[in-house]
Amino acid sequence: VQIVGSVLREPTREAAREPPPEPGNGFRRLSARLRALHPDDSSSARTEIHLLFDQLISENYSEGDGVAPEVGGAPHVHACRLVPLNQNHLVSKVSQLIHHLLNRLQVIVDEQNLDFLLAYTISAIQQCSPWTHMAILQALAALVYCNGSKCQKYLPDLVGKTGLLIKLSDPAQSDPEVRRAAVHCMANLCLSVPGHPYLDEPYQSICFQTFLTTLQSPKLSDMDDITFCMLLQNALKGIQSLLNSGKMKLTQTEELGALLAVLKKAMFHGLPGLNIEIPTVLYPTPLPQYDGPPPSRPQPSESCASRPPVNKKKKAKVKPKKTQEGEEEDEEANGEIEAAPTTGRVHLHKGNTQCRSSPGVQSLPLDGSGAAGKDRVSSPCSSSSWKRVSSSESDYSDAEGGMQSKMRSYQAKVRQGALACFLSTIKSIEKKVLYGYWSAFVPDTPELGSPQSVSLMTLTLKDPSPKTRACALQVLSAILEGSKQFLCVAEDTSAHRRAFTPLSVMIASSIRELHRCLLLALVAESSSQTLTQIIKCLANLVSNAPYNRLKLSLLTKVWNQIKPYIRHKDVNVRVSSLTLLGAIVSTHAPLPEVQLLLQQPCSSGLSNSSSATPHPSLPDWWKKAPSGTSQEETTVNSPRGSSEPCWLIRLCISIVVLPKEDSCSGSEAGSAAGSTYEPSPMRLEALQVLAHLARGYFSMAQVYLMELGEVICKCMGEADPSIQLHGAKLLEELGTGLIQQYKPDSTIAPDQRVPVLLVVTFWTMMLNGPLPRALQNSEHPTLQASACDALSSILPEAFSILPNDRQILCITMLLGLNDNKNRLVKAATSRALGVYVLFPCLRQDVVFVADTANAVLRSLQDKSPNVRAKAAWSLGNLTDALIINMETPDPSFQEEFSGLLLLKMLRSAIEASKDKDKVKSNAVRALGNLLHFLQPSHIEKPRFTEIIEESIQALISTVLVEAAMKVRWNACYALGNVFKNPALPLGSASWTSRAYSALTSVVTTCKNFKVRIKSATALSIPGKREQYGSTEQYTQIWNALVTALQKSQDTTDFLEFKYCASLRTQICQALIHLLSLASASDLPCIKEALEQNGDMIQSYILQFLKSGAEGDDTGTPHSPQERDQMVKAALEHIGSVQALAGDTAKRAIMGYLEDILTVYLDSAGSQVALLGLTDR
């Protein structure tokens, strides 16, 4: 009767709802009925409440149908008030109602109601029968979801050491569903909400340990496979939430090792054909960690049970590639149907695909690595894809294989969850810690006869789910990102013939294996999204691998394999392919291997790989030259930089300027409706590749100079600001390349350089084109700043030949933009003015230099640290220009330059020397130059006396302060500059002793040897004895230099050892310089130092005479003749000193120097007699 009644009731209810009521009426009507009820323990009241709860749960309303947050909290709060805790069935129903309203309808509960509902559910778990716990925990999970910060007072009851959730999630819990639900509650509780307080540290640790224990525990016999998968997912989600909060730090090696071990185990959960043993803890080590052998008689487990029957076929037979159209995803459970294995991977390994492993090396097993079909998965490793798991059986049909398909889906979700958790782990630990576990997750070339260890590449090649493959690649990319410092030790250029495997060889082997496996994955993959991840991963690898230390051909294989994908149907694949090509041309540029690849004919390399891939080869559309200057004209007008055009430049130009073809119009993300060009991401990436080529392979780019100029003009004339911006960046790179060619130390032969007149034509085209408009585009300040940077890259030799009106245009625009309110523009303008002030045609223009000085001084007062840093750099350059002008024979510039402006510059530089390090380093450089530039006419004026004293005190303070190395180095350099001005009263002024004391302190105690070298250089600059001050002052300097020589090897930083020889050389030069100026009163202190440390000083001076400066540009004489001439000059000077009566110091010092010269000349094989020297 009850069954019939329930069946009959449903149509009646439906009939009553015709015509359908307005949205929300059903909920409001039922809520009103619920609120009208009062607590009543009678049987009829309980029946009425049962029926009302059933109707509220089963009512067919969707989210938003009148279920507003302000009324949403009341029904279930009132429902709880109606249900006493001794009514188990009603408690279960009200729990289902809470779960339904919060989880399905996204009803928001206010803090007061949340407090009541939490207290109710916690009491219900404590008092009700165990069979109700599942429903109550579901309600609790919905209540605490993203409400962790509001549950603080209930945390001891929930996740304290004896909390309810801790007890219910214990592996000994008899009901596996309750255990899973308890872990799910904890995971929801751990979700962090930005701007709200997070769980206190003790609760974080308790939750973390519970999740870790859950992941480490084996599946119990009474737990079904799907429940076990959901349990693992919830534990993984909990750990990920803890890590994403940013509050939890994995500092303990045991803790991190245990987490990585369970993540590695979960990464391969249920992977067909794989049964491995993972240690309970992974320890950091530079050596490979080998996975244990599989058990001799493995028990049927979830991984074995889920192995698809397709893997039982023989793998030796290679048949034509067939894949099931598949990877369908269920809307709720996201079920993934495994695709058949792709035999094409075996073909690739055996065929001419240019990614074979070295002879005798066993390859990774390639079976079960199914190809994807019509998958469309977004953000593969985001937690949202596996956050909510439905346990409803109705999501799957009962057809044959339905349960197996569902099982594989859940197992794939565990793998994806583990990878997402691993990604969060990578982001929460330091890279240097992560690389200790490199060998546990990154493949290495297996030894002959050894099995391949499982790694992230195993998933990439073998996992049947394209989403999991994409997740594994995302994790591998995160590991590779920023790994340059770790990978730079790799080396395999020479044959390895040692009894042990060095770390450098091991890492090189790992890099080779990564290349091999990623190229295998590339040609076997048919899922566009996973393909994009493979190419991005390759780009990350290429950006960080040290190809200059590895054997050739690695980049060639990548290059030839990626070329066909430039015309793939999916725009994301095309964009990532260009990104990879950009990474190849920017890594360790210029590489000879890449230079050869760029010179290949445009069709080279396509035939090799097109046969192994389903992608069409490149058509001829991109070989066409754009309208304008033809290739022949460009070659005639350009130098003979490259005999063969560069196909990659031609391709990128075509992508930027030519209309797109219909054949690749699919998936045009980022393409404006009705656009005739390639999608914007493609064009931007092509412009970036052109910029990389201009930076690293300018000899090839220069052939296309005028054509690239037309491309830049076209881009900067477009409406899209991002295209304009990348056009300006390309212009800056081309300008910088031209400047490099004309630098004094350039190795480019003059006939190989771009002629100056062609550079003038190029820049005239830019200045007559859209560049000035970009500079004035105040709506897009980033574009303005980039245009300023581009304008600062004009070749100085070309600027002086530009038409006068174009020169005035450049200067006027820069001076005008310097007062721009936007800090990006102001910083770029300040820097550009600092470049222009060193142009030979501008630096002697007193008016321009004065205008620039005033503009820079205004920028030095800006609130932005970046603007002040650029302005300080420009002030340093401007003062460099003053020093250069001093060295010209024409004194008119010094005479005309304003003394008041010099005062302003000195004051501003003193203030800037108290700023942050980036400002300070250039401020002290400017101070040194300004004090060097001061003329006697300035120094004589009283108003300059005080400012000079303050300036030198600022330099002394900066030398002594514990600042960055660059700051102190510049301060020592600046003091040396001060000593070069003969008009300053060095030696007699009160600041003399303080300056020398600061330099002697640094030369003996500074941890950085480059700063010591620069201080020793400064001490050797004064050219007269009186500039060193009193005898006491001279003695202090001499003794400090001797002490510095003694300590020249005392360092705890091994990076400083390479500067030891340079430091000793500079100190020796300073000591010899002091000897060549010594007076009679200085000789006793010199003699005393020689008696105490004579042998040590002699050995280092002999080294100085034999070898000279090593690796430091300190101005030390390099030729042997100059070095021994210095010692002879010092000997002659000591001989000419009128010694005091009875003083034996002169004879002792002369004898000492004679001995040094004798030993040096004897060791050099010279027979030159020291005639006349001993007679004196």
Side-chain angles (χ1 to χ4, degrees), residues 766-793:
M766 294 298 111
L767 293 168
N768 290 337
L771 182 59
R773 282 202 304 278
L775 283 162
Q776 294 171 322
N777 189 344
S778 56
E779 291 181 13
H780 299 289
T782 309
L783 176 62
Q784 279 183 293
S786 194
C788 281
D789 291 336
L791 201 61
S792 69
S793 66

Side-chain angles (χ1 to χ4, degrees), residues 40 57 282 298 364 415 460 489 502 521 747 767 816 899 931 991 1083 1102:
D40 188 348
I57 292 169
L282 294 178
L364 194 67
R415 298 197 293 275
T460 304
V489 301
T747 56
L767 293 168
L931 291 169
W991 47 261
L1083 298 183
L1102 283 171

Side-chain angles (χ1 to χ4, degrees), residues 624-816:
K624 298 178 237 171
S627 57
T629 310
S630 68
Q631 183 60 46
E632 289 77 12
E633 290 170 355
T634 309
T635 309
V636 169
N637 294 332
S638 301
R640 295 176 283 106
S642 174
S643 59
E644 191 171 4
C646 173
W647 70 268
L648 185 54
I649 293 179
R650 170 66 57 222
L651 167 67
C652 291
I653 290 174
S654 305
I655 289 171
V656 174
V657 301
L658 289 187
K660 66 182 175 187
E661 288 202 338
D662 294 335
S663 62
C664 61
S665 59
S667 307
E668 299 296 355
S671 177
S675 171
T676 58
Y677 296 109
E678 284 282 335
S680 182
M682 274 289 285
R683 300 178 73 207
L684 293 175
E685 204 60 51
L687 285 167
Q688 283 194 325
V689 174
L690 287 172
H692 290 317
L693 284 162
R695 188 185 306 127
Y697 300 88
F698 186 77
S699 59
M700 293 187 173
Q702 71 181 52
V703 179
Y704 298 83
L705 183 64
M706 296 308 293
E707 197 172 339
L708 289 171
E710 290 179 17
V711 172
I712 292 164
C713 285
K714 176 175 174 49
C715 289
M716 295 187 72
E718 289 193 20
D720 185 352
S722 56
I723 297 284
Q724 290 179 293
L725 181 65
H726 280 73
K729 294 282 186 189
L730 175 57
L731 175 58
E732 184 188 354
E733 291 295 349
L734 287 171
T736 306
L738 290 165
I739 290 171
Q740 295 294 334
Q741 279 197 341
Y742 279 86
K743 278 194 170 180
D745 57 352
S746 172
T747 56
I748 309 293
D751 64 329
Q752 295 291 316
R753 298 173 185 173
V754 179
V756 174
L757 289 176
L758 187 62
V759 181
V760 172
T761 308
F762 173 80
W763 277 107
T764 304
M765 177 169 67
M766 294 298 111
L767 293 168
N768 290 337
L771 182 59
R773 282 202 304 278
L775 283 162
Q776 294 171 322
N777 189 344
S778 56
E779 291 181 13
H780 299 289
T782 309
L783 176 62
Q784 279 183 293
S786 194
C788 281
D789 291 336
L791 201 61
S792 69
S793 66
I794 296 182
L795 181 69
E797 290 87 340
F799 184 86
S800 59
I801 311 174
L802 278 174
N804 199 41
D805 63 330
R806 297 298 91 184
Q807 290 186 25
I808 292 169
L809 173 72
C810 293
I811 293 167
T812 307
M813 295 190 86
L814 288 178
L815 287 170

Side-chain angles (χ1 to χ4, degrees), residues 154-416:
Y154 296 106
L155 290 178
D157 292 331
L158 292 172
V159 288
K161 288 187 178 179
T162 57
L164 289 173
L165 297 180
I166 303 301
K167 288 178 181 176
L168 295 174
S169 61
D170 191 273
Q173 169 61 232
S174 58
D175 188 339
E177 284 290 347
V178 169
R179 181 184 169 201
R180 182 199 65 74
V183 173
H184 184 215
C185 277
M186 288 177 66
N188 282 1
L189 193 61
C190 292
L191 274 171
S192 60
V193 180
H196 289 79
Y198 197 60
L199 295 180
D200 292 335
E201 199 283 323
Y203 299 119
Q204 289 181 44
S205 299
I206 291 169
C207 291
F208 179 80
Q209 284 304 323
T210 304
F211 295 138
L212 199 60
T213 305
T214 303
L215 292 169
Q216 289 170 334
S217 304
K219 185 175 82 69
L220 300 175
S221 56
D222 61 342
M223 185 181 286
D224 65 271
D225 289 335
I226 288 178
T227 303
F228 184 58
C229 286
M230 293 167 72
L231 176 69
L232 295 178
Q233 285 180 62
N234 289 324
L236 289 165
K237 182 176 72 171
I239 290 179
Q240 190 182 6
S241 297
L242 286 169
L243 294 172
N244 287 347
S245 70
K247 305 291 181 186
M248 184 162 183
K249 303 296 178 189
L250 296 166
T251 52
Q252 300 298 320
T253 304
E254 288 283 334
E255 189 178 57
L256 177 60
L259 174 60
L260 292 176
V262 295
L263 289 181
K264 185 170 183 181
K265 180 182 173 185
M267 273 164 43
F268 299 103
H269 180 78
L271 187 66
L274 201 65
N275 188 26
I276 58 167
E277 290 265 333
I278 306 287
T280 52
V281 179
L282 294 178
Y283 291 100
T285 170
L287 299 174
Q289 293 187 355
Y290 297 103
D291 300 301
S296 54
R297 290 184 180 276
Q299 297 297 317
S301 65
E302 66 277 4
S303 58
C304 298
S306 65
R307 189 177 299 169
V310 73
N311 284 335
K312 295 178 182 177
K313 294 179 182 178
K314 289 184 179 178
K315 300 173 190 119
K317 294 182 180 179
V318 178
K319 297 181 180 179
K321 180 177 178 179
K322 288 183 182 178
T323 60
Q324 295 176 3
E325 281 297 300
E327 287 309 326
E328 298 170 1
E329 294 196 11
D330 186 87
E331 193 170 358
E332 175 140 353
N334 205 10
E336 294 178 357
I337 300 168
E338 205 172 294
T342 309
T343 52
R345 299 177 192 233
V346 183
H347 270 306
L348 172 73
H349 186 61
K350 295 182 178 178
N352 299 322
T353 57
Q354 300 200 13
C355 58
R356 297 187 297 271
S357 60
S358 52
V361 174
Q362 182 180 338
S363 69
L364 194 67
L366 302 172
D367 58 307
S369 54
K374 303 175 182 175
D375 61 291
R376 276 287 174 269
V377 190
S378 62
S379 58
C381 246
S382 68
S383 59
S384 60
S385 62
W386 53 282
K387 191 180 288 178
R388 292 191 179 186
V389 182
S390 169
S391 58
S392 170
E393 294 294 338
S394 63
D395 289 339
Y396 293 86
S397 69
D398 292 329
E400 187 181 352
M403 278 305 295
Q404 191 180 16
S405 177
K406 180 180 177 181
M407 180 66 210
R408 286 201 296 268
S409 168
Y410 276 100
Q411 288 172 338
K413 286 180 186 306
V414 172
R415 298 197 293 275
Q416 290 158 24

Side-chain angles (χ1 to χ4, degrees), residues 32 550 600 650 952 1116 1148:
L550 301 173
Q600 282 180 351
R650 170 66 57 222
I952 292 173
T1116 306

Side-chain angles (χ1 to χ4, degrees), residues 1077-1112:
L1077 297 177
S1079 64
S1081 59
D1082 302 326
L1083 298 183
C1085 81
I1086 297 172
K1087 178 191 172 188
E1088 185 180 347
L1090 294 178
E1091 285 173 351
Q1092 292 175 1
N1093 301 290
D1095 292 343
M1096 180 269 295
I1097 297 171
Q1098 183 181 37
S1099 66
Y1100 286 135
I1101 289 179
L1102 283 171
Q1103 281 182 27
F1104 164 71
L1105 290 170
K1106 292 172 186 175
S1107 59
E1110 295 177 12
D1112 190 73

